[in-house]
Amino acid sequence: MRTHEHSTDASADAAAAAASAEPAPGSGREASITVTTEGLPHWLDPVARAARTVEPRQLSRFLPPESGAGRQSAVLVLFGEGARGPELLLMERAGSLRSHPGQPSFPGGSLDPEDGDQSTTGPLRAALREAQEETGLDPHGVQLFGVLPRLYIPVSSFVVTPVLGWWRAPSPVGVVDPGETARVFTVPVADLTDPANRATAVHPSGHQGPAFLVESALVWGFTAGVIDRILHFAGWERPWDRAKQVPLDWRA
């Protein structure tokens, strides 16, 4: 697929442009929230470049309704550097949840009123707030460096803004609420790009999508789709066997 040297999603443009000017929510004057690539490690340059150039339909065929309907939300796609090099932060939903129990995902959730304007910095604040609430990470150690176009999850009517972050100053993370989260873990990018860990998830409904078998978990659905597209447009993807299938059940 081709890309253009400009952002194709107005909300992503607005969020990045307004981030450095809008004050953080809360009482009094607080530090502004910023989106910047300054000081990023060089290995993240391809990801930052993809965030600036990728078109919405290059990420997913499911895009937000033109009517504006949908539940506004955001996820934090947080890159760090661990013992085995670049890695991503993920969490696993509690098995007791009614919706997608046990499914790995990015930290994130719905926008709250205090997050601010949903068309500018609201998703940025929501992504950091939710990540802090779910994993305990210190948002002050996170540098936001990009925003992907908004995507849509039809089954839940969520309009999701993926916010890209660099874990500049890592902090301890773990399960904050066992009723919501089973575990918090990181996955080396090397494992995500390893063809042996890749497969196609097949839902009984007939839907198929990319999947990753990493850290004793099956990452599929929206989260796997975003990871798959980032690997592709960052130039990190390695050829893998798309005929290798992993069946899902109706509870998924």
Side-chain angles (χ1 to χ4, degrees):
M1 298 181 180
R2 59 189 178 90
T3 59
H4 300 297
E5 291 300 319
H6 64 276
S7 175
T8 57
D9 186 78
S11 64
D13 279 346
S20 61
E22 183 176 316
S27 59
R29 295 183 58 85
E30 301 181 37
S32 62
I33 188 167
T34 60
V35 176
T36 177
T37 58
E38 183 177 355
L40 278 185
H42 292 307
W43 59 264
L44 269 176
D45 288 345
V47 181
R49 183 168 55 250
R52 294 192 302 268
T53 60
V54 70
E55 299 182 11
R57 289 204 175 276
Q58 291 178 307
L59 294 178
S60 175
R61 63 189 178 92
F62 298 113
L63 301 181
E66 294 183 2
S67 65
R71 303 165 63 188
Q72 297 294 324
S73 64
V75 296
L76 181 64
V77 184
L78 184 60
F79 290 90
E81 198 153 7
R84 295 182 52 207
E87 60 186 16
L88 269 178
L89 178 69
L90 296 177
M91 50 177 277
E92 188 173 298
R93 294 168 58 82
S96 58
L97 293 176
R98 299 176 63 181
S99 176
H100 301 304
Q103 184 175 346
S105 67
F106 298 118
S110 298
L111 270 67
D112 285 348
E114 60 266 29
D115 293 323
D117 190 343
Q118 68 183 33
S119 65
T120 56
T121 56
L124 309 182
R125 299 181 191 285
L128 289 174
R129 175 182 54 75
E130 287 283 346
Q132 183 178 27
E133 292 175 359
E134 292 175 333
T135 73
L137 73 78
D138 182 355
H140 294 95
V142 176
Q143 175 182 336
L144 302 183
F145 68 90
V147 182
L148 294 179
R150 293 180 303 161
L151 304 175
Y152 188 60
I153 304 179
V155 67
S156 59
S157 299
F158 274 112
V159 175
V160 187
T161 300
V163 179
L164 305 179
W166 157 238
W167 211 353
R168 178 177 43 78
S171 54
V173 293
V175 174
V176 175
D177 182 356
E180 297 288 336
T181 307
R183 64 171 172 148
V184 177
F185 59 102
T186 57
V187 180
V189 171
D191 288 350
L192 294 168
T193 59
D194 186 344
N197 297 332
R198 303 212 56 180
T200 297
V202 182
H203 193 273
S205 66
H207 176 74
Q208 299 186 13
F212 301 84
L213 296 96
V214 290
E215 299 297 321
S216 303
L218 173 63
V219 183
W220 63 281
F222 175 85
T223 302
V226 172
I227 294 173
D228 172 78
R229 293 295 80 195
I230 289 176
L231 297 181
H232 176 78
F233 287 107
W236 295 347
E237 184 180 36
R238 297 166 59 190
W240 56 282
D241 184 7
R242 298 174 186 272
K244 177 183 175 181
Q245 296 187 343
V246 176
L248 303 171
D249 60 33
W250 281 107
R251 292 174 299 172

